[in-house]
Amino acid sequence: MTDIAVTLADKRGTLPTDDKLGFGKIFTDHMFVMDYASDKGWHDARIIPYGDFNISPAAMVLHYGQAIFEGMKAFRTEDNRVVMYRPVDHLNRFNNSADILSIPQMDVDVVHTALKKLIELDKHWVPKALGTSLYIRPFVISVDPYVGVKVASQYTLFIILSPVGAYYASGFKPVKIKVEDHYVRAVKGGLGEAKTAANYAASLKAGEVAKKDGYTQVLWLDALEQKYIEEVGTMNIFFKIDDEIITPELNGSILNGMTRRSVLAVAKDWGMKATERRISIEEVYEAHANGHLQEVFGSGTAAVISPVGELCWKGKKISINNGAIGETSHKLFDYITSLQQGRVADKFGWVEEVTKL
Amino acid sequence: MTDIAVTLADKRGTLPTDDKLGFGKIFTDHMFVMDYASDKGWHDARIIPYGDFNISPAAMVLHYGQAIFEGMKAFRTEDNRVVMYRPVDHLNRFNNSADILSIPQMDVDVVHTALKKLIELDKHWVPKALGTSLYIRPFVISVDPYVGVKVASQYTLFIILSPVGAYYASGFKPVKIKVEDHYVRAVKGGLGEAKTAANYAASLKAGEVAKKDGYTQVLWLDALEQKYIEEVGTMNIFFKIDDEIITPELNGSILNGMTRRSVLAVAKDWGMKATERRISIEEVYEAHANGHLQEVFGSGTAAVISPVGELCWKGKKISINNGAIGETSHKLFDYITSLQQGRVADKFGWVEEVTKL
Ligand SMILES: Cc1ncc(COP(=O)(O)O)c(C=O)c1O
Ligand SMILES: Cc1ncc(COP(=O)(O)O)c(C=O)c1O
């Protein structure tokens, strides 16, 4: 097992009040860092004070985007335990992204241990209020100072932590989503399945246009025919039709979302029919026209469940469940958030205790 | 006109001998830097000593890849003038990439002036030997410390300079190219036309596999049908069939290469038939089978012209022109490199003098 050297921050910060948290703007006192060199493998695992670092202007990541990341959460329970949600599943997905980007595999045990140590050290940064959490962002970047296209030979892994406020600060509310019929995020044979910078860069323009038109995010269609549903900007998507919940199958161009996996498992556990299959936007519009479309919701680490109240495809708007939150969306949100914050028993083994406060 | 503040390096480095240059590993004494903030626009244009800089681990570029770059060259002529090749055309393409990535437009005049000042300052870094040059890498990265997907509001532009050796150090030689039939680089509606990190990240895995099989780079096919030819990893591609040179048309998913533009203009000027159109890999293989395929060559800033001696598509290998360099490839290489280094008159207005040594 790799030793982790710890350098403590001179001063400890304080957790802002819940209303000041927002998302992704505030960081804790420490971060975990580990380097890779082709002759040494991953080495020099260390926890150091959070802060800027030095990088070469020729660092490959700035030019060729060889980078991957993860996004997961830790929570403070009512009895002041700090727990993480599916950390090992997230770290395995991290390694899958690494493979797709030709980044060397990490030892999940080492990173998992580091993550626990880091959170233990910064545990007073985990907020307590309902809906708040500690967002965990592990990422790897290529750092060789080399201005030519190739697979890098030097990388740095970071884990940074950010306390985040309740996603639904003003109440659990349905969002409006635009079905994107022009821009494309990812294609079979591309990077769509990886959590990598490239996919998000590809989503910016469409996101901007959608926001101007009053939509929160876009729903991507497949690159080949612009017909089959893929996923939302930072969420997977579910449709409830005739009491069955349906989500696009994993086809290599969408993210294998952790919340998606959780939703499928929970719904099945409840005895619901939960199906992963190819589904076209036409089928969804038809189901709506015939009165069979009951709910639409997104799933992702940030929002957990995000009910969709309106879809707009090529200018045709449909209102889902009259713009109200559906029963299943609500039940899933309540159940998964309760499970994450330790308010219901963890029958799936998804919740791992890190430390107590 | 923006003022450019200059901070000189304490010590000046020396240009290594030609055999030590290689590509993209050595950098000059200074770099140009300029910042963007949404309330200030582009500001604080400055030339400072080349070196590492500070960045937040939460800087958006490291996570979401909002980044663009350019690649162009300056040369030292026989009479010791330093000239740049099509700098304004490159900077206009830079702004086109900016638009695709939702990065604020730059003032081409300002960046052009900065570039000239920077090269003037580091002019002793421009190597002289035939085939050597000063590679110029302007790039923009998003730097907001924010861990959420959105268009950034803070950017930094850099220009760094790297003296590079002759691309064909061991002689002008044909390369072997693998036609990629599994991985995909870019798709209509995506980022393919931009010079952006994402496209290069998407090319790494295929490049690695091809290299293992003894090929220099891959030739990409269209994402939709894997049928039509797009471009090579870092080059556009040309086919000479029945004395006509053909290159894939600009379709939104390939780079509008500067060398491609130069080749088309020069060939036309020579009275050759030079056509931009959709061309399938089948057509190329058929032309070869029927004895009509005379030459294949890539075009790009690094190599200028790169003759292709062998193509391999789904395991079927064809030898082009018996693996020898074609007449047109050779003529184009000689002419364009002569033009760039001031050995023939610049009838196209592509060469701009920066300074004298
Ligand atoms: C593109 C994309 N799809 C889906 C998701 C949802 O995945 P998860 O549930 O693992 O957060 C995310 C999460 O950020 C995402 O970025
Ligand atoms: C993807 C790609 N295509 C084509 C080219 C050739 O473009 P240019 O001739 O402007 O260098 C490059 C150059 O680096 C490239 O990266």
Side-chain angles (χ1 to χ4, degrees):
Chain A
M1 175 56 82
T2 317
D3 279 336
I4 299 170
V6 179
T7 309
L8 294 180
D10 289 340
K11 269 194 220 164
R12 299 295 180 98
T14 41
L15 179 66
T17 52
D18 295 329
D19 57 315
K20 297 266 167 17
L21 288 174
F23 189 90
K25 298 175 306 187
I26 295 161
F27 299 91
T28 67
D29 296 320
H30 299 92
M31 60 186 180
F32 174 73
V33 183
M34 183 162 70
D35 297 314
Y36 179 91
S38 28
D39 54 343
K40 287 188 186 177
W42 287 105
H43 65 281
D44 203 4
R46 59 203 185 272
I47 288 174
I48 57 174
Y50 177 85
D52 290 1
F53 65 102
N54 263 314
I55 193 168
S56 165
M60 293 182 77
V61 65
L62 306 177
H63 305 264
Y64 308 120
Q66 201 186 355
I68 52 168
F69 68 91
E70 262 305 320
M72 52 178 142
K73 281 180 173 175
F75 301 88
R76 199 202 284 209
T77 63
E78 278 171 7
D79 54 345
N80 283 317
R81 293 176 301 119
V82 175
V83 297
M84 284 195 282
Y85 189 64
R86 308 190 71 167
V88 173
D89 291 332
H90 275 283
L91 293 178
N92 283 326
R93 185 173 72 180
F94 200 28
N95 258 342
N96 184 50
S97 296
D99 179 45
I100 297 172
L101 270 291
S102 304
I103 289 174
Q105 292 290 297
M106 295 151 281
D107 183 330
V108 168
D109 282 346
V110 171
V111 183
H112 186 207
T113 304
L115 181 54
K116 283 187 288 191
K117 263 203 140 157
L118 180 64
I119 294 181
E120 159 80 47
L121 197 61
D122 283 354
K123 63 187 175 186
H124 68 287
W125 282 97
V126 187
K128 188 164 185 181
L130 199 68
T132 66
S133 60
L134 184 73
Y135 183 76
I136 301 164
R137 169 57 60 90
F139 65 102
V140 176
I141 56 172
S142 53
V143 295
D144 310 35
Y146 177 68
V147 178
V149 181
K150 62 159 192 166
V151 171
S153 57
Q154 293 163 241
Y155 300 87
T156 306
L157 179 156
F158 293 82
I159 304 177
I160 58 177
L161 306 175
S162 173
V164 299
Y167 194 85
Y168 296 104
S170 52
F172 188 49
K173 261 196 317 221
V175 296
K176 290 162 69 176
I177 298 278
K178 179 183 165 188
V179 183
E180 182 57 49
D181 58 24
H182 177 66
Y183 297 108
V184 165
R185 172 189 173 273
V187 60
K188 200 163 168 289
L191 303 176
E193 193 188 295
K195 235 172 140 63
T196 182
N199 295 328
Y200 300 87
S203 77
L204 294 174
K205 192 88 171 191
E208 256 196 323
V209 175
K211 261 178 211 145
K212 267 187 204 125
D213 296 343
Y215 295 90
T216 321
Q217 293 199 32
V218 305
L219 176 61
W220 298 104
L221 299 180
D222 76 286
L224 304 192
E225 301 181 64
Q226 300 259 59
K227 190 171 163 181
Y228 298 101
I229 291 167
E230 299 252 312
E231 62 181 333
V232 182
T234 57
M235 298 192 292
N236 295 103
I237 188 92
F238 285 85
F239 303 92
K240 185 176 163 193
I241 299 176
D242 291 332
D243 293 327
E244 174 185 3
I245 65 168
I246 302 162
T247 193
E249 65 195 342
L250 300 178
N251 58 1
S253 64
I254 66 171
L255 190 73
N256 184 347
M258 206 58 65
T259 321
R260 176 185 180 279
R261 283 192 234 174
S262 301
V263 164
L264 288 168
V266 168
K268 281 177 190 163
D269 183 61
W270 289 347
M272 288 185 76
K273 203 168 164 200
T275 310
E276 302 170 71
R277 68 166 169 89
R278 203 156 82 151
I279 177 167
S280 71
I281 184 68
E282 267 159 25
E283 179 181 345
V284 170
Y285 268 64
E286 265 167 36
H288 178 263
N290 302 332
H292 296 274
L293 180 66
Q294 299 158 307
E295 299 182 36
V296 179
F297 59 90
S299 71
T301 294
V304 185
I305 298 293
S306 181
V308 177
E310 180 183 314
L311 285 177
C312 179
W313 176 45
K314 294 184 176 167
K316 285 170 285 178
K317 294 179 189 180
I318 56 173
S319 164
I320 320 291
N321 195 27
N322 295 314
I325 299 170
E327 181 203 332
T328 302
S329 311
H330 220 311
K331 255 182 77 182
L332 282 165
F333 179 78
D334 286 344
Y335 183 78
I336 297 175
T337 52
S338 297
L339 201 144
Q340 289 174 327
Q341 295 199 279
R343 291 190 305 275
V344 300
D346 174 27
K347 63 189 282 189
F348 299 97
W350 290 337
V351 177
E352 182 187 317
E353 183 171 320
V354 187
T355 183
K356 287 199 175 76
L357 264 137
Chain B
M1 175 55 79
T2 317
D3 279 337
I4 298 171
V6 178
T7 309
L8 295 180
D10 289 340
K11 269 195 220 163
R12 299 296 181 96
T14 41
L15 179 65
T17 52
D18 294 330
D19 57 314
K20 297 264 164 23
L21 289 174
F23 189 89
K25 297 175 306 187
I26 295 161
F27 298 91
T28 68
D29 295 320
H30 299 93
M31 61 185 182
F32 174 72
V33 183
M34 184 162 70
D35 297 313
Y36 179 91
S38 28
D39 54 343
K40 287 188 184 175
W42 287 105
H43 66 280
D44 203 4
R46 59 202 186 271
I47 288 173
I48 56 173
Y50 176 85
D52 290 1
F53 66 102
N54 264 312
I55 194 168
S56 164
M60 292 181 76
V61 66
L62 306 176
H63 304 264
Y64 309 120
Q66 201 186 356
I68 53 168
F69 69 92
E70 262 305 321
M72 52 178 142
K73 280 180 174 175
F75 300 89
R76 198 202 286 208
T77 64
E78 278 171 6
D79 55 346
N80 282 318
R81 293 176 302 120
V82 175
V83 297
M84 283 194 282
Y85 189 65
R86 308 189 73 167
V88 173
D89 291 332
H90 275 283
L91 293 178
N92 283 327
R93 186 173 70 180
F94 201 26
N95 259 341
N96 184 50
S97 296
D99 179 44
I100 297 171
L101 270 291
S102 303
I103 289 173
Q105 292 290 295
M106 295 152 279
D107 182 330
V108 168
D109 282 347
V110 171
V111 183
H112 187 207
T113 304
L115 181 54
K116 283 187 288 192
K117 262 201 143 157
L118 180 65
I119 294 180
E120 160 79 48
L121 196 62
D122 283 352
K123 63 186 175 188
H124 69 286
W125 282 97
V126 187
K128 189 165 185 180
L130 199 68
T132 65
S133 60
L134 185 73
Y135 183 76
I136 302 165
R137 170 58 59 91
F139 66 102
V140 176
I141 55 172
S142 52
V143 296
D144 310 34
Y146 178 68
V147 177
V149 181
K150 62 159 192 163
V151 171
S153 57
Q154 292 163 243
Y155 300 87
T156 306
L157 179 157
F158 293 83
I159 303 176
I160 59 177
L161 306 175
S162 172
V164 299
Y167 194 86
Y168 296 104
S170 52
F172 188 49
K173 261 197 314 222
V175 296
K176 290 162 70 176
I177 298 278
K178 178 183 167 188
V179 183
E180 181 57 49
D181 59 25
H182 176 67
Y183 297 107
V184 165
R185 172 188 173 273
V187 60
K188 200 164 169 286
L191 303 176
E193 193 187 296
K195 235 175 141 58
T196 184
N199 296 328
Y200 300 87
S203 77
L204 294 174
K205 191 89 171 189
E208 255 196 324
V209 175
K211 260 177 213 145
K212 265 186 207 130
D213 296 344
Y215 295 90
T216 321
Q217 293 199 31
V218 305
L219 176 60
W220 298 104
L221 300 180
D222 77 286
L224 304 193
E225 301 181 66
Q226 301 258 60
K227 188 171 166 182
Y228 298 102
I229 291 166
E230 298 254 311
E231 62 181 333
V232 183
T234 57
M235 298 192 291
N236 294 104
I237 188 92
F238 286 84
F239 303 91
K240 186 175 162 194
I241 299 175
D242 291 332
D243 293 327
E244 174 186 3
I245 65 169
I246 302 162
T247 193
E249 66 196 343
L250 300 177
N251 57 1
S253 65
I254 67 170
L255 190 73
N256 184 346
M258 206 57 65
T259 321
R260 175 185 181 280
R261 283 191 233 175
S262 301
V263 165
L264 288 168
V266 168
K268 281 176 190 162
D269 183 62
W270 289 346
M272 288 185 76
K273 203 168 166 200
T275 311
E276 302 170 70
R277 67 165 169 89
R278 203 156 82 151
I279 177 167
S280 70
I281 184 69
E282 267 160 24
E283 181 181 342
V284 170
Y285 267 64
E286 265 166 36
H288 178 264
N290 302 332
H292 296 274
L293 180 67
Q294 298 159 308
E295 299 183 35
V296 179
F297 59 91
S299 72
T301 295
V304 186
I305 298 295
S306 181
V308 177
E310 180 183 314
L311 285 177
C312 178
W313 176 44
K314 293 184 176 165
K316 284 170 284 178
K317 294 179 188 180
I318 57 174
S319 163
I320 320 291
N321 195 28
N322 296 314
I325 299 170
E327 182 202 331
T328 303
S329 311
H330 218 310
K331 257 181 78 181
L332 282 165
F333 179 77
D334 285 345
Y335 183 78
I336 298 175
T337 52
S338 297
L339 201 144
Q340 289 175 327
Q341 294 199 279
R343 290 190 306 274
V344 301
D346 174 27
K347 61 188 285 188
F348 299 97
W350 288 337
V351 177
E352 183 188 317
E353 183 172 320
V354 187
T355 183
K356 288 198 175 75
L357 265 137

